[in-house]
Amino acid sequence: MEPTIRFSDKEILLAHGSGGKASRRLIEGLIVPILSSPELERLNDAATVKVGSDDVVVTTDSFVVSPRVFSGGSIGELAVNGTLNDLAVSGAEPIAITLAMILEAGLSTQDLTHELLAIAKSARDAGIEIVTGDTKVVEHGKADGIFITTTGIGRMHQNAQLSVERARPGDRVLLSGPIGDHGITVLLARGEIDLQADELVSDTRSVWPFINTLLDTFGAEVKWIRDPTRGGLATTLNEFATAAELQVLIDEENVVINPPVRGACEVLGLDPFHIANEGQFVAIISDKVAAHAESLLKSMPGGHNARLIGSVTEGSVPIVLCKTAYGVTRVLDMLSGDPLPRIC
Amino acid sequence: MEPTIRFSDKEILLAHGSGGKASRRLIEGLIVPILSSPELERLNDAATVKVGSDDVVVTTDSFVVSPRVFSGGSIGELAVNGTLNDLAVSGAEPIAITLAMILEAGLSTQDLTHELLAIAKSARDAGIEIVTGDTKVVEHGKADGIFITTTGIGRMHQNAQLSVERARPGDRVLLSGPIGDHGITVLLARGEIDLQADELVSDTRSVWPFINTLLDTFGAEVKWIRDPTRGGLATTLNEFATAAELQVLIDEENVVINPPVRGACEVLGLDPFHIANEGQFVAIISDKVAAHAESLLKSMPGGHNARLIGSVTEGSVPIVLCKTAYGVTRVLDMLSGDPLPRIC
């Protein structure tokens, strides 16, 4: 059967890698129809594969962040934690990771060593092993220093019952911390914009300890989790609303946005809800355990900015609404275009 | 503990991606010491990871072949079969594959579609599913069209007992077909050399059907298998000799080399034993079943050029020797440098 292709763009643009609307058109209109795999069509960040009697959770991501090194992290660290987080938001405990590197000829051994050390440290911190890998080299000018692709292998947490179908009106939206730190940090690290924010660092980290605690404690009361990376929190919540066929109402006052992020976004005309995060997650959780979940996260190291930011509501059109500090309600749309390419 | 680094090159060169001596120095001198993982230190093409009660076999590879399309295949097809072959030579039946693409802005949708169709067909032919993926886009000039990283998930064949420690003097060396077809095909596709060989096509294919048959039929009599890709057959046999602490004696007359490959190598001063293959494997197998194994492979579609090409011998220095048609014995060394970068 011929695949039904619904992608009419003649060439690939940066926006197709943004994680927003253009990415979805490429993925849903071209890639998924041609590859026609039932597991792929679920568009989850991770897939579940039966091996013998066990379910194995697997996820893969390429990292092309520019610049390679930024305040609070670097591509090597991101390549480990980003992939662990895709396992984590699927409810899977990380077991192992694979590492494939594409190096540009002329890359200094010192720079490569920096990233290998970052990879080793992140893996060690997460208690996992890099089990296999591959290294390719391309001519100078045919890549950009280092591209890294990691694949994570994990095992589903025994209490995890994460599925968008289990979300109900009345469920609460729990956010793990401030938004926009990673995207704005990387943007400023490029030095193209005359802004300084010395206190701002990327939020990049593994979120598994938080999610593990939530699943241990609340099990099936946790309905759905995602990490709002490319496309930001607004895109992630829109993906939830569309898949769940429900609405989401966010109270902007409860969303923590660090002053340097708020300032940079105002100056640059960006919406912090569209800026990428690398160490945050958003969970849809039953109302009856929501307050307990928030206080539990707050009690954990690095969790003090966790907040209940809104609710799932009934509605005929899947949409994300945001009540601003001025009492106005605005529509939080998915990212379209790409204000900040190559942030991961 | 500080890792012991034995890599003194100041920068990364194309030769570090060749699969030969320079690659080994980079991997064994820098990457493996820093990442310090016991599974990685085995330097196998695939790792075995315990998930629940089952052993999962996992392998990852990046593909950067240039040009993307060549006689008999393309990068998309290679990205599936190359990874399936890394599972296969580990004795693992493929179950699923993941797909991460790095696209260069400006890539035509037509070219991307060509590769997606090639990926879909190769996966379908192998009876496996692309279960999850990722797509990144980098600026024009920061990549080279399409880079693909695939990760294969497999399950060990129940009869597989592949381990270099099980090789013994007297074992035979079984090669699945002609050598050098892939590397020379890609080289000629670049159009930089004024040679034509219209009948030459890449050998790229999945070798799992052959290996599955060998393991079904001969089980533990099959001691070790590898696919002689980057660095060619000579590099693979040297890796075996070094790991096994044994010698290998090859009878050159039994190695099938297609005339266009022989001709191109003579003109260009290349050794066909150093040229990459993408659809071949070499197996170390007990003498008592070797003739049967050869005839069994020959009876399979695409297996008619399978040959017993030599033997494992005792010796104090691990080395690969090759008896030529003229009765002279030469040393077959690992590839050093890189005559043909980016062949996979």
Side-chain angles (χ1 to χ4, degrees):
Chain A
M1 203 183 70
E2 281 294 301
T4 308
I5 292 173
R6 291 165 282 105
F7 182 77
S8 55
D9 298 9
K10 293 282 174 248
E11 63 178 43
I12 301 304
L13 309 172
L14 276 178
H16 292 124
S18 68
K21 284 182 182 173
S23 292
R24 283 187 82 91
R25 280 197 295 112
L26 171 64
I27 293 167
E28 296 178 13
L30 187 74
I31 297 176
V32 169
I34 292 180
L35 300 182
S36 81
S37 139
E39 188 63 38
L40 201 62
E41 277 160 22
R42 287 183 198 112
L43 293 175
N44 285 334
D45 279 341
T48 301
V49 178
K50 189 69 118 183
V51 180
S53 55
D54 284 293
D55 278 339
V56 176
V57 183
V58 56
T59 185
T60 196
D61 255 333
S62 290
F63 294 84
V64 299
V65 63
S66 172
R68 277 199 298 280
V69 181
F70 44 84
S71 181
S74 70
I75 190 169
E77 183 274 336
L78 218 56
V80 174
N81 285 333
T83 287
L84 295 184
N85 288 349
D86 279 346
L87 288 178
V89 299
S90 307
E93 174 188 21
I95 293 179
I97 209 163
T98 71
L99 174 72
M101 296 189 292
I102 298 172
L103 309 178
E104 181 189 11
L107 175 75
S108 77
T109 300
Q110 192 179 351
D111 285 357
L112 175 58
T113 301
H114 181 274
E115 297 318 319
L116 290 169
L117 289 168
I119 290 164
K121 180 177 186 310
S122 308
R124 205 163 48 235
D125 288 351
I128 57 133
E129 209 183 310
I130 312 284
V131 290
T132 191
D134 180 51
T135 307
K136 292 291 191 308
V137 183
V138 299
E139 300 88 341
H140 188 69
K142 297 293 186 185
D144 194 10
I146 309 177
F147 296 147
I148 302 178
T149 303
T150 46
T151 301
I153 308 287
R155 189 186 188 188
M156 202 56 87
H157 188 290
Q158 58 179 2
N159 296 353
Q161 290 186 44
L162 300 171
S163 161
V164 77
E165 282 94 35
R166 298 189 53 252
R168 294 286 175 275
D171 286 344
R172 305 288 291 278
V173 182
L174 178 62
L175 178 65
S176 62
I179 59 170
D181 288 6
H182 177 72
I184 297 298
T185 299
V186 171
L187 178 69
L188 297 183
R190 288 183 193 153
E192 295 161 4
I193 292 158
D194 194 16
L195 271 179
Q196 284 228 318
D198 293 342
E199 71 276 39
L200 187 65
V201 296
S202 165
D203 60 4
T204 171
R205 60 179 175 178
S206 164
V207 298
W208 174 243
F210 300 110
I211 292 175
N212 193 24
T213 298
L214 289 182
L215 293 173
D216 278 350
T217 314
F218 306 109
E221 305 295 341
V222 189
K223 312 288 190 74
W224 188 86
I225 314 179
R226 275 295 182 284
D227 48 341
T229 54
R230 286 183 290 174
L233 181 60
T235 299
T236 299
L237 291 176
N238 272 281
E239 287 174 349
F240 167 76
T242 303
E245 299 176 9
L246 289 167
Q247 296 192 354
V248 176
L249 177 63
I250 297 300
D251 191 340
E252 191 166 11
E253 282 192 296
N254 292 335
V255 178
V256 181
I257 304 176
N258 283 320
V261 171
R262 195 180 290 278
C265 283
E266 275 171 16
V267 170
L268 300 166
L270 298 171
D271 186 340
F273 283 86
H274 284 154
I275 306 296
N277 312 281
E278 282 291 335
Q280 307 304 338
F281 66 90
V282 58
I284 306 296
I285 188 161
S286 290
D287 181 52
K288 66 177 176 191
V289 302
H292 183 188
E294 183 194 49
S295 64
L296 190 59
L297 287 190
K298 280 182 170 170
S299 73
M300 294 179 71
H304 59 285
N305 277 318
R307 295 286 186 280
L308 290 167
I309 61 166
S311 301
V312 177
T313 59
E314 197 92 56
S316 55
V317 181
I319 203 171
V320 180
L321 298 170
C322 180
K323 202 175 80 187
T324 69
Y326 312 105
V328 181
T329 298
R330 64 176 179 127
V331 173
L332 269 190
D333 206 354
M334 284 184 85
L335 176 69
S336 66
D338 189 1
L340 302 176
R342 297 182 62 189
I343 54 78
C344 64
Chain B
M1 202 182 71
E2 280 295 301
T4 308
I5 292 172
R6 290 165 283 103
F7 182 78
S8 55
D9 298 8
K10 293 280 175 249
E11 63 178 45
I12 301 304
L13 309 171
L14 276 177
H16 291 123
S18 68
K21 284 181 181 174
S23 292
R24 284 188 81 90
R25 280 197 295 111
L26 171 64
I27 292 167
E28 296 178 13
L30 187 73
I31 297 177
V32 170
I34 292 181
L35 300 182
S36 81
S37 139
E39 188 62 41
L40 200 63
E41 277 161 22
R42 289 184 196 111
L43 292 177
N44 285 335
D45 280 340
T48 301
V49 178
K50 190 67 119 186
V51 181
S53 55
D54 283 294
D55 278 340
V56 176
V57 183
V58 56
T59 185
T60 195
D61 256 334
S62 289
F63 294 84
V64 298
V65 64
S66 170
R68 277 200 299 280
V69 181
F70 44 84
S71 182
S74 70
I75 191 170
E77 183 273 337
L78 219 55
V80 174
N81 285 333
T83 287
L84 295 184
N85 288 349
D86 278 346
L87 288 178
V89 299
S90 307
E93 173 189 19
I95 292 179
I97 210 163
T98 71
L99 173 73
M101 298 189 291
I102 298 171
L103 309 178
E104 182 190 11
L107 174 74
S108 77
T109 300
Q110 191 180 352
D111 286 358
L112 175 59
T113 301
H114 181 274
E115 297 318 319
L116 289 169
L117 289 168
I119 290 165
K121 181 179 186 310
S122 308
R124 206 163 46 234
D125 289 351
I128 56 134
E129 206 183 312
I130 314 284
V131 288
T132 190
D134 180 52
T135 307
K136 292 291 192 306
V137 183
V138 298
E139 300 88 342
H140 188 69
K142 297 293 186 185
D144 195 7
I146 309 179
F147 296 147
I148 302 179
T149 303
T150 47
T151 301
I153 308 287
R155 189 185 187 186
M156 202 55 90
H157 188 289
Q158 59 180 1
N159 295 354
Q161 291 185 42
L162 300 171
S163 161
V164 76
E165 283 92 35
R166 298 187 52 251
R168 294 286 175 274
D171 287 343
R172 305 287 291 279
V173 181
L174 178 62
L175 178 65
S176 61
I179 59 169
D181 288 6
H182 176 73
I184 297 299
T185 299
V186 171
L187 178 68
L188 297 183
R190 289 183 192 154
E192 295 161 4
I193 292 156
D194 194 15
L195 271 178
Q196 284 229 314
D198 293 340
E199 71 277 38
L200 188 65
V201 296
S202 165
D203 60 3
T204 171
R205 59 179 176 179
S206 164
V207 298
W208 174 243
F210 300 110
I211 292 175
N212 193 25
T213 298
L214 289 181
L215 293 173
D216 278 349
T217 315
F218 306 110
E221 305 295 342
V222 189
K223 313 288 191 74
W224 188 86
I225 314 180
R226 276 293 183 286
D227 49 339
T229 53
R230 286 183 288 174
L233 182 60
T235 298
T236 300
L237 291 175
N238 272 281
E239 287 174 347
F240 167 77
T242 303
E245 299 177 9
L246 290 166
Q247 294 192 355
V248 176
L249 178 62
I250 297 299
D251 192 339
E252 191 165 12
E253 282 192 298
N254 292 335
V255 177
V256 180
I257 304 176
N258 283 321
V261 171
R262 196 181 290 280
C265 284
E266 276 171 15
V267 170
L268 301 168
L270 299 171
D271 186 338
F273 284 87
H274 284 154
I275 307 295
N277 313 280
E278 281 292 334
Q280 307 304 338
F281 65 91
V282 58
I284 306 296
I285 189 162
S286 290
D287 181 52
K288 66 177 176 194
V289 302
H292 182 187
E294 184 194 47
S295 64
L296 190 59
L297 287 190
K298 280 181 170 168
S299 73
M300 293 179 70
H304 60 283
N305 277 317
R307 296 287 185 277
L308 289 166
I309 60 165
S311 301
V312 177
T313 60
E314 196 91 56
S316 55
V317 181
I319 202 170
V320 180
L321 298 169
C322 180
K323 203 175 80 187
T324 69
Y326 313 104
V328 181
T329 298
R330 65 175 178 127
V331 173
L332 268 190
D333 206 352
M334 283 184 84
L335 174 69
S336 65
D338 189 1
L340 303 177
R342 296 184 61 188
I343 54 76
C344 64

